[in-house]
Amino acid sequence: MPDKQAVRPGYNFAFLDEQTKKEIRRRILKAVAVPGYQVPFASRELPIAQGWGTGGLQLTLALVGPGDVVKVIDQGSDDVVNAVNIRRLLLQTTGVKTTEDTGAATLIQTRHRIPEERLREEQALVFQVPYPEPLRRVEPSEVKTREMHAEADYSRLWVFLYEDIVRWREITIGAQYPVLVNGRYVMDPSPIPRWDIPKLHMAANLNLFGAGREKRIYAVPPYTRVEPLAFEDHQFRVESFDGKHCAVCGSTASFLDELIDDHTGARRHTCSDVAYCAKRHQLLSENGPGAGRQTGNETGGGA
Amino acid sequence: MDGLEITDVSSCDLSGRQDHRVPGEPMLRVRGLTRIYGRECPDCVPRTGPEAGSNICPGCGSVVACAGVSFDLYAGEILGVVGESGSGKSTLVQCLYFDSAVTAGEAYLRNYREGAVNILGSSAQEQRHIRHHLMGMVYQKPHQGLRLDCTAGGNIAEKLLAAEFFHVGRIRERASELLLRTEVPLERMDHLPRHFSGGMQQRVQIAKALANSPPLVFLDEVTTGLDVSVQARVLDLIRHLHRELGLAMVVVSHDLGVIRLLTDCTLVMKTGRVVEAGLTDQILGDPQHPYTQLLVSSLL
Amino acid sequence: MGELLRVTGLTKVFKLHLLGGREVVACRDIEFVLRPGEILGIQGPSGAGKSTILKCLYRTCLATAGQAWHRSPDGSVDLLQAPAQTILALRRSEIGYVSQFLRVVPRVSALQVVAEGFLCKGWRESRAPQEAARLLEHLKIPADLWEASPCTFSGGEQQRVNVARASAGWPRLLLMDEPTASLDQESKRTVQELILELKRRGTSIVVVSHDRHTFNQITDRVLHLNRGAEVRAGRGREYAKAAADH
């Protein structure tokens, strides 16, 4: 049940007015109906600046209900400023429960990561998207890119990948790797690392993408094919950590951040997904080594 | 007869012999192709043309770029389209390659749905499919047909990728093969055509047009603006490719020398209309229309 | 086998639009029959329309009136009216033409020019150059010239390449316009021999020439033209004799 005390008076539930939320939900339905297709919507003014996750936030605000448990992460962390501010806004305009536990959340807003813990059918993941157009790197004109999508004409993006391979022997795109959704639309998965791309493929949960400044909504519905663009002889590969493990929880099957100690200059790696790391750490200290045995269930990308 | 020992005809291998009768069905059938730029009025077509001496409609000011163009192109044949600037010859091929929409007219391609569908009326998506699988185009200016900021290999790859050929190794194999054929040094494959000479750009463009082995290729003033010696090399290349691959081609040129060298049949266009059509050597040797006679007599 | 070619009422009027539409009659109501394996000569003064007849038959000229039925293995074709594609196909497979002047691409070797004739008649790529070489050899074109373009050849050599090209692959019908002009005596004899060899192989030939000697040597019958009209026809040797008696 919502926490009435937390709610500031004078605001509609979830900040946006009901008509706006309805309108956004209609756009979401269309996005779900045409997986990977960018649905234009009238992006609203919010009490945070554009470029700080307003697209994702509008989706979250349109979807959140009193019974929801919300989690907000930024680059895998619940505690950085962007995530904290958005969580606070949600709390103050809805009073819904928030959590850091991925498994406990019903609605997760994220920037640049997909949680390591595999999501379930009843969960929805909302992405903050800076640049929704995957073809922008080869075509500056919006009119042309729309035409290209309409005709499924992706040859120029393919040429871009081809030339990347010719020049560097591999595709150098790190984050924001273009994917083909349901065999039809090429989609920008937002700047998630390649590590997270396989998690989108046939995911049980609903994935929603919102670009506030660019005014676009798109979706990958549950159990939808999501294939990274790759050549028969140059397969898609996720980041490799070369047997490194998390300094906190010992994980070898999660996306790792490299940390350099300012004083000693020593390098160490920790899980990028902080909540996941904490959960494993707790399990380990409660039950001893072996309790945190990784089933391989958590990640799509193999180590 | 001394010195002449010639194998008897009966012993020669005729397995490769083509049926020398009229090939059953044309590969490309064009009927009444018309392209008008402007508002259009019912007078546009009747009040323009060679008799009127203009392709600008006196009624509404529209430009009748070409009107009522019909022809048949057979497999392996080269059709020339000749005429002065503004006669509508480039518009004709641009319409057939779907670069420009048509005002009226139909075209049927034997290789596409058994020639039962008017390809000029097909959807943009179908037209793109036809362009990428069944047609090639070489434009007058290399930048029209090439992406100068993509490598030569990338340009060829674009055509292959459009036809869903997703294997870098095989793409590069095919690109090398095409560049070899079009006499572009292989070490230039990963260079930008921006830095190539005009003749080499044109050869890369030809390689790109041939990437998917289309049965039909359009060539729009491909040697215009090239040095004479470079021109000769490009023309020889086209002749050679035609012989080797048996392509059907439509060659647009204002240069009767190019037309004579390359084509079997020719359409002569003036102010948007075909004024004469026939065998190329007949058009050049015995032109019928006053305009063609003028054109031929102007030949250097 | 009655006839290979039957020409009736062949008339060609040139309309010169650049000269205010003036009309020039090149030939009128030409009639003749060519039998299989026969060599028919056409003779007459300059401007009598001899070349025009050949051009109309090969369709480099459009006849104004008349018919020319050519009996091809696949049926009869009116050479004056048939669609362009039929003419192109016939040119590739069974009709050869020796023009007055050789006109070739300057960058193609003599050997290739002749081999082309074999290739388009369906000879294998591996065999055509050999056959072409034999023809050139027979026509006494020095072997060291074969790789050069005929454009660089002397007039006589060009003419022989021209004959070789048209004879390549042994066409059923060969139209020859002054095949021995600009040739010396020896070359003339060589060309005449080739023409007779063609005849032996079943080629029927219409030949236009000023050269009375050539006519005496090779033609079976002669058509004599005067100012575009047909005057008389007869056996070559008899005609020559009759003319000499005048």
Coordinates of all heavy atoms in Angstrom, one line a residue, chain B residues 1-9 12-14 17-18 20-22 74 77 232 236 239 243 260-261 264-265 279 281-282 285-286 288-290 293-294 297, chain C residues 12 14-15 17-18 59-62 72 74 77 85-86 88-89 91 93-94 105 107-108 116 119 121-125 127 131 134 138 170 193-194 197 201:
Chain B
M1 N 41.7 -26.9 -101.9 CA 42.2 -25.5 -101.7 C 43.4 -25.6 -100.7 O 43.3 -26.2 -99.7 CB 41.1 -24.8 -100.9 CG 40.7 -23.5 -101.6 SD 39.3 -23.0 -100.7 CE 39.8 -21.3 -100.5
D2 N 44.5 -25.0 -101.2 CA 45.7 -25.2 -100.3 C 45.6 -24.3 -99.1 O 45.1 -23.2 -99.1 CB 47.0 -24.9 -101.1 CG 46.9 -23.6 -101.9 OD1 46.0 -22.8 -101.6 OD2 47.8 -23.3 -102.7
G3 N 46.2 -24.8 -98.0 CA 46.3 -24.0 -96.8 C 45.1 -23.8 -96.0 O 45.1 -23.2 -95.0
L4 N 44.0 -24.2 -96.6 CA 42.7 -24.0 -95.8 C 42.2 -25.3 -95.4 O 41.5 -26.0 -96.1 CB 41.8 -23.3 -96.7 CG 40.5 -22.8 -96.0 CD1 40.9 -21.8 -94.9 CD2 39.5 -22.2 -97.0
E5 N 42.5 -25.7 -94.2 CA 41.9 -26.9 -93.7 C 41.0 -26.5 -92.5 O 41.4 -26.2 -91.4 CB 43.0 -27.8 -93.1 CG 43.9 -28.5 -94.1 CD 45.0 -29.1 -93.5 OE1 44.8 -29.8 -92.4 OE2 46.2 -29.0 -94.0
I6 N 39.8 -26.4 -92.9 CA 38.9 -25.9 -91.9 C 38.0 -27.0 -91.5 O 37.5 -27.8 -92.3 CB 38.1 -24.7 -92.5 CG1 39.0 -23.6 -92.7 CG2 37.0 -24.3 -91.5 CD1 38.5 -22.5 -93.6
T7 N 37.8 -27.1 -90.2 CA 37.0 -28.2 -89.6 C 35.6 -28.1 -90.2 O 35.1 -27.1 -90.4 CB 36.9 -28.0 -88.1 OG1 38.1 -27.6 -87.6 CG2 36.5 -29.3 -87.5
D8 N 35.1 -29.3 -90.5 CA 33.8 -29.3 -91.1 C 32.8 -28.8 -90.0 O 32.9 -29.0 -88.8 CB 33.4 -30.8 -91.4 CG 32.2 -30.8 -92.4 OD1 32.2 -30.0 -93.3 OD2 31.3 -31.6 -92.1
V9 N 31.8 -28.1 -90.5 CA 30.8 -27.5 -89.6 C 30.1 -28.6 -88.7 O 29.9 -28.3 -87.5 CB 29.7 -26.8 -90.4 CG1 28.8 -26.0 -89.4 CG2 30.3 -25.8 -91.4
C12 N 31.8 -29.3 -85.5 CA 32.0 -28.2 -84.4 C 30.9 -28.3 -83.4 O 29.8 -28.8 -83.6 CB 32.0 -26.9 -85.0 SG 30.5 -26.0 -85.1
D13 N 31.3 -27.9 -82.2 CA 30.4 -28.0 -81.1 C 29.3 -26.9 -81.1 O 29.7 -25.7 -81.0 CB 31.2 -28.0 -79.8 CG 30.2 -28.0 -78.6 OD1 29.3 -28.8 -78.6 OD2 30.4 -27.1 -77.7
L14 N 28.1 -27.3 -81.2 CA 27.1 -26.2 -81.3 C 26.2 -26.3 -80.1 O 25.1 -25.8 -80.0 CB 26.2 -26.4 -82.6 CG 27.0 -26.1 -83.9 CD1 26.1 -26.4 -85.1 CD2 27.5 -24.6 -83.9
R17 N 24.9 -23.2 -78.8 CA 24.2 -22.4 -79.8 C 22.9 -21.8 -79.2 O 22.1 -22.5 -78.7 CB 23.9 -23.3 -81.0 CG 23.4 -22.5 -82.1 CD 23.2 -23.4 -83.3 NE 22.8 -22.6 -84.5 CZ 23.3 -22.7 -85.7 NH1 24.1 -23.6 -85.9 NH2 22.9 -22.0 -86.6
Q18 N 22.8 -20.5 -79.4 CA 21.5 -19.9 -78.9 C 20.4 -20.2 -80.0 O 20.7 -20.4 -81.1 CB 21.7 -18.4 -78.8 CG 22.8 -18.1 -77.8 CD 23.4 -16.7 -78.2 OE1 23.5 -16.3 -79.3 NE2 23.8 -16.0 -77.1
H20 N 18.4 -18.9 -82.5 CA 18.6 -17.6 -83.2 C 17.3 -17.0 -83.7 O 17.3 -16.1 -84.4 CB 19.6 -17.8 -84.3 CG 19.3 -18.9 -85.3 ND1 19.7 -20.2 -85.2 CD2 18.4 -18.8 -86.3 CE1 19.2 -20.9 -86.2 NE2 18.4 -20.1 -86.9
R21 N 16.2 -17.7 -83.4 CA 14.9 -17.0 -83.7 C 14.7 -15.9 -82.7 O 15.4 -15.8 -81.7 CB 13.8 -18.0 -83.7 CG 14.1 -19.3 -84.5 CD 14.4 -18.9 -86.0 NE 13.4 -18.0 -86.5 CZ 13.6 -17.3 -87.6 NH1 14.7 -17.4 -88.3 NH2 12.7 -16.6 -88.1
V22 N 13.6 -15.2 -82.9 CA 13.3 -14.2 -81.9 C 13.1 -14.8 -80.5 O 12.4 -15.8 -80.4 CB 11.9 -13.5 -82.3 CG1 11.6 -12.5 -81.3 CG2 12.0 -13.0 -83.7
Y74 N 15.1 -7.4 -75.2 CA 15.3 -8.8 -75.1 C 16.5 -9.2 -74.3 O 17.5 -8.4 -74.2 CB 15.3 -9.5 -76.5 CG 14.0 -9.4 -77.1 CD1 13.5 -8.3 -77.8 CD2 13.1 -10.5 -77.1 CE1 12.2 -8.2 -78.3 CE2 11.9 -10.5 -77.7 CZ 11.4 -9.3 -78.3 OH 10.2 -9.3 -78.9
E77 N 20.4 -8.3 -75.0 CA 20.4 -7.3 -76.0 C 20.8 -5.9 -75.4 O 20.6 -5.7 -74.2 CB 19.0 -7.1 -76.6 CG 18.9 -6.3 -77.8 CD 17.5 -6.2 -78.3 OE1 17.0 -7.2 -78.9 OE2 16.8 -5.2 -78.1
A232 N 37.5 5.0 -73.6 CA 37.7 3.8 -74.4 C 37.8 2.6 -73.5 O 37.2 1.5 -73.7 CB 39.0 3.9 -75.3
D236 N 35.2 -0.5 -73.5 CA 35.7 -1.9 -73.7 C 35.3 -2.8 -72.6 O 34.9 -3.9 -72.8 CB 37.3 -1.9 -73.8 CG 37.7 -1.4 -75.2 OD1 36.9 -1.2 -76.0 OD2 38.9 -1.2 -75.3
R239 N 31.6 -3.7 -73.0 CA 31.5 -4.6 -74.1 C 31.9 -6.0 -73.6 O 31.2 -7.0 -73.9 CB 32.4 -4.2 -75.3 CG 31.7 -3.4 -76.4 CD 32.7 -2.7 -77.3 NE 33.9 -3.5 -77.5 CZ 34.1 -4.5 -78.4 NH1 33.1 -4.7 -79.2 NH2 35.2 -5.1 -78.5
R243 N 29.5 -9.4 -73.2 CA 29.8 -10.6 -73.9 C 29.9 -11.8 -72.9 O 29.3 -12.8 -73.1 CB 31.2 -10.5 -74.6 CG 31.1 -10.4 -76.1 CD 30.8 -11.8 -76.7 NE 31.8 -12.8 -76.4 CZ 33.0 -12.8 -76.9 NH1 33.4 -11.8 -77.7 NH2 33.9 -13.7 -76.5
R260 N 26.9 3.5 -81.4 CA 27.4 2.6 -82.4 C 28.2 1.4 -81.9 O 28.0 0.3 -82.3 CB 28.2 3.4 -83.5 CG 28.6 2.5 -84.7 CD 29.9 3.0 -85.3 NE 29.8 4.4 -85.8 CZ 29.2 4.8 -86.9 NH1 28.7 3.9 -87.7 NH2 29.2 6.0 -87.2
L261 N 29.0 1.7 -81.0 CA 29.9 0.7 -80.4 C 29.2 -0.3 -79.6 O 29.5 -1.5 -79.6 CB 31.0 1.4 -79.6 CG 32.1 0.5 -79.1 CD1 33.0 0.2 -80.2 CD2 32.9 1.2 -78.0
D264 N 22.7 -2.7 -80.0 CA 22.1 -3.5 -81.1 C 20.9 -2.7 -81.8 O 20.8 -2.6 -82.9 CB 21.5 -4.8 -80.6 CG 22.5 -5.7 -80.0 OD1 23.5 -5.9 -80.6 OD2 22.3 -6.1 -78.8
C265 N 20.1 -2.1 -80.9 CA 18.9 -1.4 -81.3 C 19.0 0.0 -80.6 O 19.6 0.2 -79.6 CB 17.6 -2.0 -80.9 SG 17.3 -3.5 -81.9
L279 N 17.2 -0.9 -85.7 CA 18.5 -1.4 -85.6 C 19.5 -0.3 -85.6 O 19.3 0.7 -86.4 CB 18.8 -2.4 -86.7 CG 18.1 -3.7 -86.7 CD1 18.1 -4.3 -88.1 CD2 18.7 -4.6 -85.8
D281 N 22.6 0.1 -86.6 CA 23.3 0.4 -87.9 C 22.4 1.0 -88.9 O 22.8 1.7 -89.8 CB 24.1 -0.8 -88.4 CG 23.4 -2.1 -88.5 OD1 22.1 -2.0 -88.2 OD2 23.9 -3.1 -88.8
Q282 N 21.1 0.6 -88.8 CA 20.1 1.2 -89.8 C 19.9 2.7 -89.4 O 19.9 3.6 -90.3 CB 18.8 0.4 -89.8 CG 17.8 1.0 -90.7 CD 16.7 1.7 -89.9 OE1 16.0 1.1 -89.1 NE2 16.5 3.0 -90.1
G285 N 23.0 4.4 -90.5 CA 23.2 4.3 -91.9 C 22.1 4.9 -92.8 O 22.4 5.4 -93.8
D286 N 20.9 4.8 -92.3 CA 19.8 5.2 -93.1 C 18.7 5.8 -92.2 O 17.6 5.3 -92.0 CB 19.2 4.0 -93.9 CG 18.0 4.4 -94.8 OD1 17.9 5.6 -95.1 OD2 17.2 3.5 -95.1
Q288 N 15.7 7.9 -90.8 CA 14.5 8.3 -91.4 C 13.9 9.6 -91.0 O 13.5 10.4 -91.8 CB 13.4 7.2 -91.1 CG 13.8 5.8 -91.4 CD 14.0 5.5 -92.9 OE1 13.0 5.7 -93.6 NE2 15.1 5.1 -93.3
H289 N 14.0 9.9 -89.7 CA 13.4 11.1 -89.2 C 14.3 12.3 -89.4 O 15.5 12.2 -89.4 CB 13.1 10.9 -87.7 CG 12.3 12.0 -87.1 ND1 12.8 13.2 -86.6 CD2 10.9 12.1 -86.9 CE1 11.8 14.0 -86.2 NE2 10.7 13.3 -86.3
P290 N 13.7 13.5 -89.8 CA 14.6 14.7 -90.0 C 15.6 14.9 -88.9 O 16.8 15.2 -89.1 CB 13.6 15.8 -90.1 CG 12.3 15.2 -90.4 CD 12.3 13.8 -89.9
Q293 N 18.4 12.4 -89.0 CA 19.3 12.8 -90.1 C 20.3 13.9 -89.7 O 21.4 13.9 -90.0 CB 18.5 13.1 -91.4 CG 17.8 11.9 -91.9 CD 17.2 12.2 -93.3 OE1 17.3 13.3 -93.9 NE2 16.6 11.2 -93.9
L294 N 19.7 14.9 -89.0 CA 20.5 16.0 -88.5 C 21.6 15.5 -87.5 O 22.7 15.8 -87.6 CB 19.6 17.0 -87.8 CG 20.3 18.2 -87.3 CD1 20.9 19.1 -88.4 CD2 19.4 19.0 -86.4
S297 N 24.2 13.5 -89.3 CA 25.1 14.3 -90.2 C 26.0 15.2 -89.3 O 27.0 15.7 -89.8 CB 24.2 15.2 -91.1 OG 23.6 16.2 -90.3
Chain C
K12 N 14.2 1.4 -103.1 CA 14.7 2.3 -102.0 C 14.7 3.7 -102.5 O 15.4 4.0 -103.5 CB 16.0 1.8 -101.6 CG 16.7 2.7 -100.5 CD 15.9 2.7 -99.2 CE 16.4 3.8 -98.3 NZ 15.6 4.0 -97.1
F14 N 15.6 7.4 -101.0 CA 16.2 8.1 -99.8 C 15.5 9.5 -99.8 O 15.4 10.2 -100.8 CB 17.7 8.3 -100.0 CG 18.5 7.1 -99.7 CD1 19.0 6.3 -100.8 CD2 18.7 6.7 -98.4 CE1 19.7 5.2 -100.5 CE2 19.5 5.5 -98.2 CZ 20.0 4.8 -99.2
K15 N 15.0 9.8 -98.6 CA 14.4 11.2 -98.4 C 15.3 12.0 -97.6 O 15.6 11.7 -96.5 CB 13.0 11.1 -97.7 CG 12.3 12.4 -97.7 CD 10.8 12.2 -97.4 CE 10.1 13.5 -97.5 NZ 8.7 13.4 -97.2
H17 N 15.9 15.0 -95.7 CA 15.3 16.1 -95.0 C 16.1 17.3 -94.9 O 15.6 18.4 -94.9 CB 14.8 15.6 -93.6 CG 13.8 14.6 -93.6 ND1 12.5 14.9 -93.9 CD2 13.8 13.3 -93.4 CE1 11.7 13.8 -93.8 NE2 12.5 12.8 -93.5
L18 N 17.4 17.1 -94.8 CA 18.3 18.3 -94.7 C 18.4 19.1 -96.0 O 18.8 20.2 -96.1 CB 19.7 17.8 -94.3 CG 19.8 17.1 -93.0 CD1 21.3 16.7 -92.7 CD2 19.3 18.0 -91.9
R59 N 19.6 -5.0 -93.9 CA 18.8 -4.1 -93.1 C 19.6 -3.0 -92.4 O 19.2 -2.4 -91.4 CB 18.1 -4.8 -91.9 CG 16.7 -5.3 -92.3 CD 15.7 -4.3 -92.4 NE 15.0 -4.0 -91.2 CZ 14.1 -4.7 -90.6 NH1 13.7 -5.8 -91.2 NH2 13.6 -4.4 -89.5
T60 N 20.7 -2.6 -93.1 CA 21.3 -1.4 -92.6 C 20.6 -0.2 -93.3 O 20.8 0.9 -93.0 CB 22.8 -1.3 -92.9 OG1 23.1 -1.9 -94.2 CG2 23.7 -2.0 -91.9
C61 N 19.8 -0.6 -94.4 CA 18.9 0.4 -95.0 C 17.5 -0.1 -94.9 O 17.3 -1.3 -94.9 CB 19.2 0.6 -96.5 SG 20.5 1.8 -96.8
L62 N 16.6 0.8 -94.7 CA 15.2 0.4 -94.7 C 14.6 0.5 -96.1 O 14.6 1.6 -96.7 CB 14.4 1.3 -93.8 CG 14.2 1.0 -92.3 CD1 13.3 2.0 -91.7 CD2 13.6 -0.4 -92.2
S72 N 15.0 -19.7 -94.1 CA 15.9 -20.1 -93.0 C 15.4 -21.5 -92.5 O 14.2 -21.8 -92.8 CB 15.7 -19.0 -91.9 OG 15.9 -19.5 -90.7
D74 N 14.3 -22.4 -89.9 CA 13.1 -22.2 -89.0 C 11.9 -21.6 -89.7 O 11.0 -21.2 -89.0 CB 13.5 -21.4 -87.8 CG 14.7 -22.0 -87.1 OD1 14.7 -23.1 -86.7 OD2 15.8 -21.3 -87.1
V77 N 11.5 -15.8 -93.8 CA 11.5 -14.5 -93.2 C 11.6 -13.4 -94.2 O 12.4 -13.6 -95.2 CB 12.7 -14.4 -92.2 CG1 12.8 -13.0 -91.6 CG2 12.7 -15.4 -91.1
Q85 N 14.6 -7.9 -83.8 CA 15.2 -9.0 -83.1 C 15.5 -10.2 -84.0 O 16.5 -10.9 -83.9 CB 14.4 -9.5 -81.9 CG 14.6 -8.7 -80.7 CD 14.1 -7.2 -80.8 OE1 13.1 -7.0 -81.5 NE2 14.7 -6.3 -80.1
T86 N 14.6 -10.4 -85.0 CA 14.8 -11.5 -85.9 C 16.0 -11.2 -86.8 O 16.8 -12.1 -87.0 CB 13.5 -11.6 -86.8 OG1 12.4 -11.7 -86.0 CG2 13.6 -12.9 -87.7
L88 N 18.5 -9.4 -86.0 CA 19.7 -9.6 -85.2 C 20.1 -11.0 -85.1 O 21.3 -11.4 -85.1 CB 19.5 -9.0 -83.8 CG 19.5 -7.4 -83.7 CD1 19.1 -7.0 -82.4 CD2 20.9 -6.9 -84.1
A89 N 19.1 -11.9 -84.9 CA 19.3 -13.3 -84.7 C 19.9 -13.9 -86.0 O 20.8 -14.7 -86.0 CB 18.0 -14.0 -84.3
R91 N 21.5 -12.3 -88.3 CA 22.9 -11.8 -88.5 C 23.9 -12.7 -87.7 O 25.0 -12.9 -88.1 CB 23.0 -10.4 -88.1 CG 22.4 -9.4 -89.0 CD 22.6 -8.0 -88.5 NE 22.0 -7.0 -89.3 CZ 22.0 -5.7 -89.0 NH1 22.6 -5.3 -87.9 NH2 21.5 -4.8 -89.7
S93 N 23.4 -15.8 -86.8 CA 23.5 -17.2 -87.1 C 23.7 -17.5 -88.5 O 24.4 -18.5 -88.9 CB 22.3 -17.9 -86.6 OG 21.1 -17.3 -87.2
E94 N 23.1 -16.8 -89.5 CA 23.2 -17.3 -90.8 C 23.4 -16.3 -91.9 O 23.6 -16.7 -93.1 CB 22.0 -18.2 -91.1 CG 20.7 -17.5 -90.8 CD 19.5 -18.5 -91.0 OE1 19.2 -18.7 -92.2 OE2 19.1 -19.1 -90.1
V105 N 36.2 -1.8 -83.8 CA 36.7 -1.1 -82.7 C 38.2 -1.1 -82.7 O 38.8 -2.1 -82.9 CB 36.2 -1.8 -81.4 CG1 36.6 -1.0 -80.2 CG2 34.7 -2.0 -81.4
R107 N 40.4 -1.2 -80.7 CA 41.2 -1.8 -79.7 C 41.0 -3.4 -79.7 O 41.4 -4.0 -78.8 CB 40.9 -1.3 -78.3 CG 41.2 0.2 -78.2 CD 40.7 0.8 -77.0 NE 39.2 0.7 -76.9 CZ 38.4 1.5 -77.6 NH1 38.8 2.5 -78.3 NH2 37.1 1.4 -77.5
V108 N 40.4 -3.9 -80.7 CA 40.2 -5.3 -80.8 C 41.1 -5.9 -81.9 O 41.2 -5.3 -83.0 CB 38.7 -5.6 -81.1 CG1 38.4 -7.1 -81.2 CG2 37.8 -4.9 -80.1
E116 N 35.1 -13.6 -83.2 CA 33.7 -13.1 -82.8 C 32.7 -13.7 -83.7 O 31.6 -14.2 -83.3 CB 33.7 -11.6 -83.0 CG 32.5 -10.9 -82.3 CD 32.8 -10.6 -80.9 OE1 34.0 -10.6 -80.5 OE2 31.9 -10.3 -80.1
L119 N 32.2 -17.2 -82.7 CA 31.5 -17.3 -81.3 C 30.0 -17.1 -81.4 O 29.3 -17.8 -80.9 CB 32.2 -16.3 -80.4 CG 33.5 -16.6 -79.9 CD1 34.1 -15.5 -79.1 CD2 33.5 -17.9 -79.0
K121 N 28.2 -17.7 -83.8 CA 27.5 -18.8 -84.4 C 27.5 -20.1 -83.6 O 27.3 -21.2 -84.0 CB 28.1 -19.0 -85.8 CG 27.7 -17.9 -86.7 CD 28.1 -18.2 -88.2 CE 27.8 -17.0 -89.0 NZ 28.6 -15.8 -88.7
G122 N 27.9 -19.9 -82.3 CA 27.8 -21.0 -81.4 C 29.1 -21.9 -81.3 O 29.0 -22.9 -80.6
W123 N 30.2 -21.4 -81.8 CA 31.4 -22.2 -81.7 C 31.9 -22.0 -80.3 O 31.8 -21.0 -79.7 CB 32.4 -21.8 -82.7 CG 32.1 -22.2 -84.1 CD1 30.9 -21.8 -84.8 CD2 32.8 -23.0 -85.0 NE1 30.9 -22.4 -86.0 CE2 32.1 -23.1 -86.2 CE3 34.0 -23.7 -84.9 CZ2 32.5 -23.9 -87.2 CZ3 34.5 -24.4 -86.0 CH2 33.7 -24.5 -87.1
R124 N 32.6 -23.1 -79.8 CA 33.1 -23.0 -78.5 C 34.2 -22.0 -78.3 O 35.0 -21.8 -79.3 CB 33.7 -24.4 -78.1 CG 32.9 -25.0 -76.9 CD 33.5 -26.3 -76.5 NE 33.5 -27.3 -77.6 CZ 34.1 -28.4 -77.5 NH1 34.8 -28.8 -76.5 NH2 34.1 -29.3 -78.6
E125 N 34.3 -21.4 -77.2 CA 35.3 -20.3 -76.9 C 36.7 -20.8 -77.2 O 37.6 -20.1 -77.6 CB 35.1 -19.9 -75.4 CG 35.8 -18.6 -75.0 CD 34.8 -17.5 -74.9 OE1 33.6 -17.8 -74.7 OE2 35.3 -16.4 -74.9
R127 N 37.6 -23.1 -79.3 CA 37.9 -23.4 -80.7 C 37.9 -22.2 -81.7 O 38.6 -22.2 -82.6 CB 36.8 -24.4 -81.3 CG 36.9 -25.8 -80.7 CD 38.1 -26.5 -81.2 NE 38.2 -26.5 -82.7 CZ 37.4 -27.4 -83.4 NH1 36.6 -28.2 -82.8 NH2 37.5 -27.4 -84.7
E131 N 40.0 -21.4 -85.3 CA 39.3 -21.3 -86.6 C 39.6 -20.0 -87.2 O 39.9 -19.9 -88.4 CB 37.8 -21.5 -86.5 CG 37.4 -22.9 -85.9 CD 37.9 -24.0 -86.7 OE1 37.9 -23.9 -88.0 OE2 38.2 -25.1 -86.2
R134 N 43.0 -19.9 -88.7 CA 43.1 -20.6 -90.0 C 42.6 -19.7 -91.1 O 43.2 -19.7 -92.2 CB 42.2 -21.9 -89.9 CG 42.9 -23.0 -89.2 CD 42.2 -24.2 -89.5 NE 42.8 -25.3 -88.7 CZ 42.2 -26.3 -88.1 NH1 40.9 -26.4 -88.3 NH2 42.9 -27.2 -87.4
H138 N 44.8 -18.4 -94.2 CA 44.5 -18.7 -95.5 C 44.4 -17.4 -96.4 O 44.8 -17.4 -97.5 CB 43.1 -19.4 -95.6 CG 42.6 -19.4 -97.0 ND1 43.2 -20.2 -98.0 CD2 41.6 -18.8 -97.6 CE1 42.5 -20.1 -99.1 NE2 41.6 -19.2 -98.9
W170 N 30.9 -19.9 -91.5 CA 30.2 -20.3 -92.7 C 28.7 -20.0 -92.7 O 27.8 -20.9 -92.5 CB 30.4 -21.8 -92.9 CG 31.8 -22.2 -92.6 CD1 32.2 -23.0 -91.5 CD2 32.9 -21.9 -93.3 NE1 33.5 -23.1 -91.5 CE2 34.0 -22.4 -92.6 CE3 33.2 -21.1 -94.4 CZ2 35.4 -22.2 -93.0 CZ3 34.5 -20.9 -94.8 CH2 35.6 -21.5 -94.1
E193 N 39.3 -17.6 -104.0 CA 39.4 -19.0 -103.6 C 38.5 -19.2 -102.4 O 37.8 -20.2 -102.3 CB 40.8 -19.4 -103.3 CG 41.6 -19.9 -104.5 CD 43.1 -20.0 -104.1 OE1 43.4 -20.2 -102.9 OE2 43.9 -20.0 -105.0
L194 N 38.6 -18.3 -101.5 CA 37.8 -18.4 -100.3 C 36.3 -18.4 -100.6 O 35.5 -19.2 -100.1 CB 38.1 -17.3 -99.3 CG 37.2 -17.3 -98.0 CD1 37.5 -18.6 -97.2 CD2 37.5 -16.1 -97.1
E197 N 35.3 -21.6 -101.9 CA 35.3 -22.6 -100.8 C 34.0 -22.5 -100.0 O 33.4 -23.5 -99.6 CB 36.5 -22.4 -99.9 CG 36.5 -23.2 -98.6 CD 36.6 -24.7 -98.8 OE1 37.0 -25.1 -99.9 OE2 36.3 -25.4 -97.9
R201 N 30.9 -25.2 -99.4 CA 30.4 -25.5 -98.1 C 28.9 -25.2 -98.0 O 28.3 -25.3 -96.9 CB 31.1 -24.8 -97.0 CG 32.5 -25.4 -96.8 CD 33.3 -24.5 -95.9 NE 34.6 -25.1 -95.6 CZ 34.8 -25.9 -94.7 NH1 33.9 -26.3 -93.8 NH2 36.0 -26.5 -94.5

